Amino acid sequence: MAVLSTVITRHPRYSIAGIFLLVLVTIFLIPHSYDYTDAAVYFRTRMSSSSLANILALQEDYYKFHLERREALVQRYGPTAEEVESFPPGQQYYTLWDFFIPAFQCPHRVERIGNLGDGGKWVCGLDRVAKQKECVIYSFGLNGEVSFEAELLQLAPGCQLWGYDYSVQSIGPQIELAVDQHNVSLSSRAHFQAYALGGKDTHNTEPPMYTLKTLLESNGHKFIDILKIDIESWEFESLESFVADYLQPGAVLPVGQMQLEIHATEGSGYGGFAKFKTWWEKLETAGLRPFWTEPNLVYLNIIRNVRPDLAEYSFINIRGEHALVSDKWLSK
Ligand SMILES: *[C@@H]1O[C@H](CO)[C@@H](O)[C@H](O)[C@H]1NC(C)=O
């Protein structure tokens, strides 16, 4: 304080400039719709007995704040979504992924399941999912690398896996060769079909294409606890068609969490920034909130000199009464 008053009395011009700078910083750097004391409350309440519903509501407030920032970024680089370049050439300091950050926090333990490196995925609250007597895992795009699915089956003995991939003949080695803690083959809880996931049912084509809705119906499932999708850009039409039934208020997408690799590849179903943003917003409208992301650096390292097209995202569904958003299952 003494130093400050000396500066103010000896160098009045500096102090005016200093105050001006301070005002600028306050206006532009500190987001005014965000109260950092809320963040302190979140971490305190997470440790205490505050209800899960309260924690999720607070997270949703943070998420809405992120949505405002996203629109501001579109304004800055657009100003319309049609004008935003996903992967701008030259010296621009953003990519597509900076508009879609995982601004929602999973209110439980987050852990990476499966291989370190390609194949592993970030999962929210697996301990809670695993405590259920019965649970359902769907996985699309297996490609002979099912370390993620195998570890889920190991850690969650009540879970069964429905795996789909038209490019392979069986579920995959990490499941076929492994046994669980009771010396029972993991295969006994795994179901495989060489189908492709799509936005339309064309079962007589090669490969046979199924929608997620049809697969749920034919398997007699009402809910998927963990949904993994890695299907080389087919995720755009597949998810668009799946969430279409759950966009109206009050609808509950029958998914607890989703691990999705997004392939924003040119000439694919991705179709540019504006189309991507509309698609992503449909996922949000259906109640999905990203809580983790990881760019696919393995792919970048192998191919080199390519667009950073591929990113892994993990989403939690904030609606419904599943293991991540409700304590009801605890008493079942
Ligand atoms: C597990 O099962 C296999 C095949 O049934 C059997 O050969 C093996 O001895 C069992 N191992 C244990 C530890 O029970």
Side-chain angles (χ1 to χ4, degrees):
M1 241 22 220
V3 176
L4 193 63
S5 52
T6 313
V7 170
I8 288 170
T9 46
R10 296 220 186 131
H11 310 281
R13 257 184 304 172
Y14 288 162
S15 54
I16 289 168
I19 288 165
F20 183 64
L21 203 67
L22 199 69
V23 170
L24 273 187
V25 165
T26 311
I27 291 173
F28 291 106
L29 289 188
I30 302 172
H32 29 279
S33 57
Y34 192 96
D35 180 355
Y36 279 89
T37 57
D38 283 354
V41 170
Y42 168 67
F43 283 104
R44 202 165 50 237
T45 52
R46 197 161 71 143
M47 296 302 180
S48 80
S49 58
S50 174
S51 78
L52 193 48
N54 284 348
I55 293 169
L56 289 163
L58 194 53
Q59 282 300 318
E60 184 64 356
D61 284 346
Y62 296 155
Y63 200 75
K64 288 195 180 119
F65 172 67
H66 158 64
L67 295 182
E68 288 169 24
R69 289 185 57 173
R70 179 192 298 162
E71 293 311 318
L73 200 62
V74 171
Q75 279 273 324
R76 178 170 164 197
Y77 291 113
T80 66
E82 283 69 27
E83 293 162 281
V84 174
E85 286 246 32
S86 294
F87 301 96
Q91 299 279 315
Q92 296 218 52
Y93 293 94
Y94 75 90
T95 68
L96 172 66
W97 311 118
D98 296 304
F99 292 80
F100 305 97
I101 62 168
F104 201 94
Q105 276 197 20
C106 154
H108 314 291
R109 180 173 148 72
V110 175
E111 59 190 317
R112 203 173 192 279
I113 302 294
N115 263 356
L116 298 178
D118 198 48
K121 313 275 172 191
W122 290 94
V123 175
C124 168
L126 182 59
D127 53 319
R128 293 170 68 96
V129 175
K131 278 188 193 127
Q132 300 172 112
K133 274 201 207 78
E134 286 178 5
C135 105
V136 170
I137 302 166
Y138 273 44
S139 180
F140 295 92
L142 307 168
N143 198 26
E145 208 301 298
V146 286
S147 63
F148 170 69
E149 293 81 352
E151 193 171 350
L152 288 178
L153 290 176
Q154 290 283 8
L155 295 172
C159 287
Q160 298 209 35
L161 166 70
W162 279 261
Y164 299 91
D165 190 331
Y166 64 86
S167 71
V168 294
Q169 260 119 51
S170 68
I171 194 91
Q174 291 100 334
I175 288 176
E176 283 150 11
L177 304 175
V179 293
D180 65 15
Q181 62 266 52
H182 305 298
N183 201 21
V184 176
S185 162
L186 292 187
S187 304
S188 64
R189 286 188 280 132
H191 314 267
F192 171 78
Q193 292 287 352
Y195 296 162
L197 182 66
K200 289 194 208 81
D201 284 296
T202 54
H203 305 171
N204 299 322
T205 50
E206 193 47 53
M209 185 83 76
Y210 282 75
T211 62
L212 193 43
K213 181 183 183 173
T214 298
L215 291 174
L216 275 164
E217 280 166 8
S218 60
N219 293 330
H221 291 146
K222 294 254 179 311
F223 193 80
I224 303 171
D225 291 275
I226 299 177
L227 170 61
K228 186 213 92 175
I229 301 180
D230 180 1
I231 52 172
E232 314 306 314
S233 293
W234 288 93
E235 64 271 16
F236 294 107
E237 65 162 75
S238 302
L239 284 173
E240 177 147 23
S241 123
F242 182 55
V243 303
D245 292 338
Y246 306 95
L247 298 178
Q248 65 280 38
V252 178
L253 190 77
V255 171
Q257 64 182 300
M258 174 168 77
Q259 280 66 31
L260 174 67
E261 178 152 16
I262 300 179
H263 306 74
T265 317
E266 241 163 343
S268 75
Y270 144 74
F273 183 87
K275 192 174 171 210
F276 182 93
K277 182 168 180 279
T278 305
W279 172 80
W280 178 279
E281 285 165 353
K282 284 183 185 167
L283 305 188
E284 290 172 334
T285 305
L288 294 170
R289 299 288 178 272
F291 65 85
W292 206 279
T293 189
E294 187 178 282
N296 189 328
L297 298 178
V298 171
Y299 150 81
L300 281 189
N301 189 53
I302 292 170
I303 315 268
R304 308 276 170 118
N305 295 318
V306 285
R307 289 192 341 178
D309 280 350
L310 312 187
E312 303 267 4
Y313 276 90
S314 297
F315 298 80
I316 175 177
N317 180 2
I318 59 168
R319 311 226 170 95
E321 292 196 324
H322 57 90
L324 303 183
V325 298
S326 166
D327 291 330
K328 269 197 173 176
W329 62 278
L330 284 171
S331 52
K332 271 189 199 143

